[in-house]
Amino acid sequence: MEIVSMNKGPKIVVIGAGSFFFGRAVVYNMAQSPVLRTGTLALVDTDPAVLNTMMNLAGRAKTHSGAPFELTGSVNRRDVMKDADFVITSFSFRNTHYRGTDVRISRKYGVTMCSGDTIGPGGIFRTLRELPEILRIARDVQELAPEAWMINFVNPTAALGLGLMRHAPGVKSFALCDDLHDPYKRAEYLFRCGITEKPDLPISPEHDAKFDLQILGVNHCNFVVKCDYDGVSRMPELRQWVAKQAAKEFEEPPKRHDSKQHYNYNYALQLFDLYGAYPNALGHVKEYVPFFQGSGVSPVEPEPLAAFDGFRRATEMAEQWKETAAFADGRLPIADFFAKGKGDHATDIVESMWGGLGKKFYVNTANRGAVPNMPDDAFLELRSELDMNGPRPLPAVPLPHGVLGLTQQVLDTHELTVEAAVSCDCRILLRALACDPIVNNLGDAKRIMEELLDAERDHLPAKWFN
C-alpha cells in the first residue's frame, strides 16, 4: 500500500520510557518505520537513570539505522510535550510491589488473581493508583498539545481509558492492549481454524477478505464470537484445536509458578463450551469469572487458579532491563537489538494514522453502535478503522447471552471504579468491589478495602484518608 505520509513524521511523547512491554518496541519502530523515522521521539521517565539508559538506546538505534528522527527526553513531561501529535502513557509505579500486595491481601479473603491488574481488587486498586496521574497528564495534554491523541497503554487499560472518556472529554483519547494486535491476531486464528498451516505473515488478500473474525468484549475479557471463512463457521475447528492443546497440558504440565499460563486451554475449553464463544485473552479471562476461584462444593477442574507471583515478574523485568542496559551502553551489539526487535501495537497504530495507511486495529473506545445490544457509550475493545480523526468501530454482531451479562458486569465494575477513583469515596469503592464478578462476600469486600487502603496509602491521594 502506498504511504500517504505527511512531509514530516509525528512528534511522539512516551511517558514511561522504561516500560517493560513498550520502551524498547517504540525505539525499534521509530527507527524502522518509513513514516515515523522522520518525526520526533520524546522520552519521559521520572527516574533519571532509566531515562538516560533509554536515551542512549534510542541514540544508538538512530545512528545504526540512519533514521533522521529527532530525539529528546526529560524527567518532566511538560518540558517536551508542547505541540505533540501523540502522547502515549506506559508507566507504572512499583508495579510488582503493589500487584503483589493486592494479590496477597485479596487471597486472605478468598479472592485469587492470576494477573491482579485488571479485574478483582487488584484491577480496582491499580485504577485508584494510576487514574489520578493519567488525568493530570490529560490536563497537560489539553494545555500544551490540544490537538494530540492521548493513547493509554497502562493497565487496567479499559478502566483508565474509560476514566479519560468520562473525566477528560476535551482530550482526544483511546486505550490499547498488546494482546489484540493485528495482523498478528488474525494470522493466529487463521492457523488455529485450520485455514493456514502456520500463523505466518503477510496474510494473503484472499484469506483476509474471506475471514470474518469478530472478537468482542472488554479488554482482557473478550471472546471470539464469530469465526467464519468464506461464509462457513470455523468455530468447530477452533474448538478441536483448543481441545488438543488442553490435552497436551496434561502431557506436559505447565510450571506451577506461571499463573497466567497455567492450564489455560483447560480453563478456556470449559468457557468455550459454556458460552459458545472462545475466550481470547486466556491468561486473563479465567480471572474474570467466579468459576475457577475454588469456592463452592464441587472441585475446580483442572484446579483453582494459581496466584500471580510478583517476585517472578520482578525477576523477569530485572533480566530484561539488564539486556536493555547492555544494548544501550554497547556491551551488546545494536544489530542484535534490531534482529530480535518487533513493532508494537501503539506505534503501529500511530504509523497508520499519521501515514494514512488505512489499516484496521483493535482499540478500546466507546461502542458507538458497533455492538447492537450494548450501549453506545460502553467502553469496549473493538476492531476499528483509524485515521487522524480517531477510531471508528466496525459493525459487529450482538454479544451472545452469558457473555453479554458478564461484559455488562465488568463494565459496571469499571464505571464504579472510575467514580471511586475520582471521588475518593469509600462508599462507591465498596460498591465497586461488591459489583466485581470474583468478589462474592460483602464482609470480605469491606476487609479487603480497608486493608488495601492502609497498605497503599503512600501511593493514594490523601483525600482517601481525610
Side-chain angles (χ1 to χ4, degrees), residues 22-322:
F22 182 59
R24 282 164 50 160
V26 70
V27 169
Y28 174 89
N29 251 9
M30 202 75 191
Q32 297 288 90
S33 165
V35 173
L36 305 182
R37 69 199 314 265
T38 57
T40 298
L41 176 61
L43 300 177
V44 178
D45 202 290
T46 56
D47 185 327
V50 169
L51 178 66
N52 184 62
T53 296
M54 294 307 297
M55 289 290 290
N56 288 340
L57 175 64
R60 292 195 73 212
K62 171 178 163 67
T63 299
H64 179 82
S65 65
F69 66 86
E70 296 179 25
L71 176 64
T72 186
S74 177
V75 294
N76 184 343
R77 61 179 177 261
R78 291 179 61 86
D79 292 344
V80 298
M81 193 178 282
K82 186 173 174 55
D83 299 327
D85 298 295
F86 298 90
V87 176
I88 304 173
T89 54
S90 185
F91 64 86
S92 180
F93 181 72
R94 299 185 71 190
N95 178 291
T96 56
H97 168 77
Y98 283 115
R99 285 173 70 185
T101 300
D102 293 337
V103 168
R104 174 177 53 81
I105 290 175
S106 299
R107 204 172 186 197
K108 282 174 57 180
Y109 296 101
V111 179
T112 301
M113 295 174 290
C114 62
S115 178
D117 67 348
T118 54
I119 198 66
I124 290 171
F125 270 78
R126 187 166 182 185
T127 303
L128 303 190
R129 297 191 299 268
E130 312 290 19
L131 184 57
E133 184 67 5
I134 290 285
L135 294 179
R136 285 191 288 270
I137 293 168
R139 288 193 287 271
D140 288 343
V141 170
Q142 194 157 22
E143 176 189 347
L144 299 171
E147 296 304 313
W149 278 99
M150 184 172 171
I151 304 175
N152 177 65
F153 219 157
V154 180
N155 271 327
T157 195
L160 298 179
L162 174 66
L164 282 168
M165 184 177 79
R166 292 276 184 254
H167 295 283
V171 173
K172 299 186 295 186
S173 70
F174 56 89
L176 290 182
C177 176
D178 59 343
D179 176 62
L180 278 179
H181 185 181
D182 269 347
Y184 306 98
K185 186 59 66 172
R186 287 178 70 77
E188 182 181 304
Y189 278 106
L190 280 165
F191 163 69
R192 290 180 173 188
C193 294
I195 298 161
T196 58
E197 294 184 358
K198 295 179 181 179
D200 287 341
L201 293 174
I203 298 170
S204 75
E206 179 185 9
H207 284 335
D208 201 36
K210 290 182 177 180
F211 195 39
D212 186 1
L213 174 68
Q214 297 201 25
I215 304 174
L216 303 176
V218 184
N219 173 246
H220 285 172
C221 187
N222 48 44
F223 291 78
V224 177
V225 298
K226 188 177 183 182
C227 191
D228 289 6
Y229 187 79
D230 201 17
V232 177
S233 175
R234 304 292 292 205
M235 293 293 261
E237 287 79 5
L238 178 57
R239 191 198 178 283
Q240 289 174 11
W241 184 85
V242 176
K244 288 180 181 177
Q245 307 313 307
K248 288 179 182 178
E249 288 179 334
F250 288 110
E251 296 168 8
E252 300 177 10
K255 292 181 180 179
R256 179 76 202 172
H257 60 255
D258 195 353
S259 60
K260 284 183 65 177
Q261 304 300 323
H262 201 221
Y263 287 123
N264 275 358
Y265 291 108
N266 278 273
Y267 294 118
L269 190 61
Q270 293 178 68
L271 295 178
F272 200 162
D273 289 342
L274 175 67
Y275 292 124
Y278 175 64
N280 168 69
L282 296 179
H284 288 282
V285 178
K286 63 186 182 183
E287 185 180 65
Y288 277 71
V289 297
F291 316 127
F292 308 130
Q293 287 289 312
S295 305
V297 176
S298 299
V300 174
E301 298 294 342
E303 63 184 16
L305 290 187
F308 172 77
D309 186 342
F311 294 106
R312 177 177 176 273
R313 173 54 64 86
T315 300
E316 288 178 347
M317 294 174 71
E319 287 300 316
Q320 179 172 292
W321 184 250
K322 285 181 184 177

Side-chain angles (χ1 to χ4, degrees), residues 441-459:
N441 181 292
L442 188 56
D444 290 339
K446 290 177 181 177
R447 288 171 175 79
I448 290 169
M449 178 181 74
E450 291 164 356
E451 292 195 26
L452 285 178
L453 284 172
D454 183 61
E456 302 181 5
R457 63 169 55 236
D458 289 346
H459 195 52

Side-chain angles (χ1 to χ4, degrees), residues 1-6 9-10 12 26 28-37 86 88 151 174 181-184 343-359 361 386-388:
M1 181 180 292
E2 181 183 358
I3 296 174
V4 190
S5 182
M6 302 181 186
I12 303 172
V26 70
Y28 174 89
N29 251 9
M30 202 75 191
Q32 297 288 90
S33 165
V35 173
L36 305 182
R37 69 199 314 265
F86 298 90
I88 304 173
I151 304 175
F174 56 89
H181 185 181
D182 269 347
Y184 306 98
D344 75 280
H345 202 183
T347 47
D348 280 357
I349 287 175
V350 168
E351 177 189 58
S352 186
M353 290 175 70
W354 189 264
L357 305 186
K359 296 180 180 179
F361 294 93
L386 290 104
D387 55 25
M388 289 304 292

